[in-house]
Structure formats: structure tokens, C-alpha cells
Amino acid sequence: MTDQTKELIDKLQVKPGVKVKLKDGDARGERLFRDEPETRAETAALAEEINALQDRLYAERQRALLVILQGMDTSGKDGTVRDVFNATGSIGVFVHAFGRPSEMELAHDYLWRVHAVCPRRGTIGIFNRSHYEDVLVPKVHKLLSKSDIGKRYDQINDFERMLTENGTVVLKFMLHISRAEQAQRLQERLDDPRKRWKFNPGDLEDRKLWDEFEDAYETMLEKCSTTVAPWYVIPADRKWVRNGAIARIVKATLEEMDPQYPKPAWKPTDFSVV
Ligand code: ADP
């Protein structure tokens, strides 16, 4: 891992049990990268490297990588998938978007639907929203008692520890945008006919609860950033900063996992292709 990446991780990783204050000013990620063109080029190169490492992960079939993306509406969860994993062979990468739970899903415990779509060995799974909705939404809308939500933080930590102990590395990115940036992005969705389909009037209702969501995110970060599955707060007001930071962390993580091509039980010289 380069010193630059170590420094980036140190800045963005949430230390276990530490209370994070999500300040609007931090959503720009000033001083994280030198300049935009250089970072964009670096991200494109990193996407290629992520692809090469993913090929090794797929061939090895021993471990998996789970990338969790959380963030307010318009924070760029879809865009991150497009920009960081655009070079990655689609055979070994799965994206799962979590919407409101169905009746069937609600008939089970909240982790049931999540566990069912966790990446299998050899693959990268990306969650667009996740089980963290199950602590954020109940806290903001006061659907569960404080003590029940408290239990869920512990259950989630246990669940993620179980995943990591069974060969899944867990990376969690909270895409941090400012309230002003969200206003601009929602307005764009209204104004641009090609983006209008993304506009959901319900997003305006959630926007009214910005402070409550921010508070719920801060608690989630404090309670669920663990040594085995840490949270990263990614400045996401500028897409190139967001992409640059996530690409570096994903690449460094895969590099650290160091997946190996399996050694066949035969020698290439045992065969001849005619
Ligand atoms: P997005 O807004 O991510 O593009 P959708 O329009 O499908 O996608 O919105 C997903 C909605 O589902 C969000 O409002 C989110 O809070 C909600 N949601 C996801 N998971 C849960 C959950 N476990 N409990 C309650 N609401 C959830």
C-alpha cells in the first residue's frame, strides 16, 4: 500500500467507538487529492487494477469482498458502482439494491434478505443500501424503541464479524454529501428530462428529515465501525473525489487480500492441444 493510500485511509476510516460529526464542509474533501485531471486518470487506472485483482479473486474462489454503499438520496451510490467498477468483468461482480422490504422479507428477521445475497467465494458483492437501512429508518421514523435499535447495532456487528471469519472482507462506505449539494442534485433531476425518472417525491420528505438522518448516520458510524469491518466516510460532494477515494481503498483492500491463481494438479506439459 502506498503512503498516500495509508494517509487517505487514516483520514477517512472511522475509529471504533468514536463519535463522528458529519460537517457539511467536509463533504468536499479538500486537500485529499492534488487535482481533478490527475485524480480522474488515477481512478481509471485503478479501475483496471481492480479488474485484474478481481480476476485473481475469481480464480482463487476462496474469499469474497463485500462493498456496502450507504448515503442520503442523491449521494451517488449508483454513480460509484458505474465509475469505480466499470472495468471489472461482470461475471464476478454482483450489485444488489435494497428497497423497502417486501411482505415476505418482513416475515423474517431483517438480516435474512441480506445474508441471502452476500457474495459467494470468488466474487465481489456491492450493496446499494444495506442492512444499515434497518437501523437508520427505524431511528429516524421512531419505529423501534431505543433499546431495540441498540440491539441491532450489536447484531449487525456480530453478523459482519461472522462474515469476515468466513472469508468475506467487508468494506463500508458512507457517501457524505452536504445539504446544499443534495438540493442541487434533486433540482437537476427535476430539470433534466433524462434524469427525471430518478426523481422520487418521497425524497423531499426524507430531505425534511435531514438532521434526523444525519444524527442516525452519526450513531451508526459510532456503533458499527469495527476493527474487522470499519466504516469510511467518503466526501461525496465532488464525484471525482468520491471515486478517487473509493477506488484507492478498494484496490488497496484487494491487494492486501492478495488472491492467488490456483495451481493445477497437472503440468501444462502433460497435454498437447491438437
Ligand atoms: P434509491 O433511492 O436508492 O435509488 P429506491 O427508490 O428503491 O432506491 O429507494 C429505496 C428506499 O427504500 C429508500 O427510501 C430506503 O430508505 C428504503 N429502504 C431500503 N431498505 C429499507 C429497510 N430495510 N427498511 C425500510 N426502508 C428501507
Side-chain angles (χ1 to χ4, degrees):
M1 196 186 304
T2 63
D3 286 349
Q4 269 178 329
T5 305
K6 270 198 205 123
E7 203 181 304
L8 182 91
I9 287 177
D10 195 52
K11 277 191 188 146
L12 304 183
Q13 196 178 75
V14 179
K15 310 291 170 286
V18 170
K19 176 93 190 164
V20 175
K21 194 86 201 90
L22 292 169
K23 292 196 273 315
D24 271 8
D26 293 343
R28 281 181 63 75
E30 300 291 359
R31 288 185 298 279
L32 271 191
F33 294 98
R34 261 222 306 268
D35 70 61
E36 182 175 346
E38 188 187 278
T39 306
R40 282 182 183 277
E42 186 196 328
T43 303
L46 286 167
E48 296 293 341
E49 290 182 68
I50 290 170
N51 179 41
L53 286 157
Q54 190 274 327
D55 193 62
R56 279 163 48 186
L57 186 74
Y58 191 74
E60 182 195 78
R61 278 174 211 223
Q62 298 296 318
R63 290 164 298 162
L65 176 66
L66 172 60
V67 178
I68 295 178
L69 302 174
Q70 278 291 155
M72 305 273 204
D73 293 315
T74 76
S75 58
K77 300 182 286 295
D78 292 331
T80 301
V81 178
R82 207 178 32 240
D83 298 339
V84 178
F85 296 94
N86 57 6
T88 315
S90 51
I91 238 171
V93 181
F94 301 87
V95 184
H96 191 86
F98 288 92
R100 284 194 175 76
S102 68
E103 213 173 307
M104 168 76 152
E105 288 167 344
L106 285 172
H108 291 269
D109 70 84
Y110 66 98
L111 289 172
W112 177 77
R113 68 170 184 165
V114 180
H115 201 181
V117 292
C118 282
R120 64 172 192 269
R121 294 178 212 284
T123 67
I124 299 178
I126 305 168
F127 285 177
N128 180 335
R129 301 185 187 271
S130 66
H131 43 291
Y132 284 99
E133 295 292 325
D134 294 289
V135 282
L136 295 167
V137 177
K139 186 165 167 33
V140 169
H141 294 284
K142 302 187 174 59
L143 304 174
L144 287 177
S145 69
K146 217 174 164 196
S147 114
D148 281 345
I149 298 175
K151 281 184 199 147
R152 286 194 173 186
Y153 298 126
D154 293 339
Q155 290 158 0
I156 288 173
N157 290 342
D158 287 344
F159 171 64
E160 292 177 356
R161 185 171 44 76
M162 184 277 291
L163 292 179
T164 62
E165 286 172 357
N166 284 277
T168 299
V169 172
V170 182
L171 275 178
K172 305 185 293 199
F173 297 118
M174 191 257 156
L175 309 186
H176 177 212
I177 53 164
S178 63
R179 200 161 188 265
E181 180 64 23
Q182 188 192 54
Q184 203 167 325
R185 292 185 187 182
L186 285 172
Q187 192 61 50
E188 258 167 51
R189 289 183 178 183
L190 275 174
D191 296 344
D192 183 345
R194 286 164 308 172
K195 291 190 177 167
R196 218 162 271 158
W197 65 275
K198 284 202 239 173
F199 183 79
N200 173 1
D203 294 351
L204 295 180
E205 293 308 308
D206 279 352
R207 180 170 165 78
K208 286 187 196 142
L209 296 166
W210 180 273
D211 291 343
E212 287 80 355
F213 268 107
E214 199 166 63
D215 180 57
Y217 267 106
E218 287 173 359
T219 309
M220 169 201 93
L221 294 167
E222 179 190 347
K223 302 280 184 195
C224 296
S225 196
T226 59
T227 46
V228 291
W231 270 108
Y232 294 86
V233 177
I234 305 294
D237 268 9
R238 295 181 296 172
K239 294 172 186 172
W240 61 271
V241 171
R242 174 199 79 199
N243 294 339
I246 293 181
R248 269 198 200 169
I249 297 168
V250 170
K251 190 254 181 171
T253 302
L254 282 165
E255 209 167 44
E256 203 125 287
M257 287 171 78
D258 194 21
Q260 300 295 320
Y261 287 113
K263 290 206 170 50
W266 40 266
K267 293 195 214 76
T269 48
D270 290 345
F271 300 94
S272 65
V273 180
V274 287

